[in-house]
Amino acid sequence: AFWNEAPRRFACSGLRAGLLHATTGYSLPDAVRLAERIADARDFSPAALRRCIVAHARSHWRRQRFYRMLN
């Protein structure tokens, strides 16, 4: 729902993109993973970066399912 409502012209990252550990709140490890993913990208246009970050954030959301359940 967040990504459907976020402005499409901009690519959010970090806490604004929900990239934090669901239990601890740590965001640095996720920031590093996102930075690595962006560094591997071929297209750095705003639309391409947004798609890259959205895909990463959705994957992160799925991986954090267990931790959200614990909370």
Side-chain angles (χ1 to χ4, degrees), residues 22-23 60-62 64-71:
T23 301
H60 171 76
W61 180 259
R62 286 189 298 274
Q64 294 285 310
R65 178 178 176 207
F66 177 74
Y67 299 110
R68 288 192 312 276
M69 185 265 315
L70 283 178
N71 289 340

Side-chain angles (χ1 to χ4, degrees), residues 9-33:
R9 295 182 301 157
F10 304 106
C12 301
S13 64
L15 297 176
R16 179 76 173 129
L19 296 175
L20 62 132
H21 193 277
T23 301
T24 65
Y26 292 162
S27 60
L28 182 61
D30 294 307
V32 171
R33 281 189 282 274

Side-chain angles (χ1 to χ4, degrees), residues 1-10 12 16 50 54 58:
F2 168 80
W3 288 105
N4 291 333
E5 295 176 12
R8 297 201 179 267
R9 295 182 301 157
F10 304 106
C12 301
R16 179 76 173 129
R50 186 179 194 285
V54 169
R58 287 183 173 153

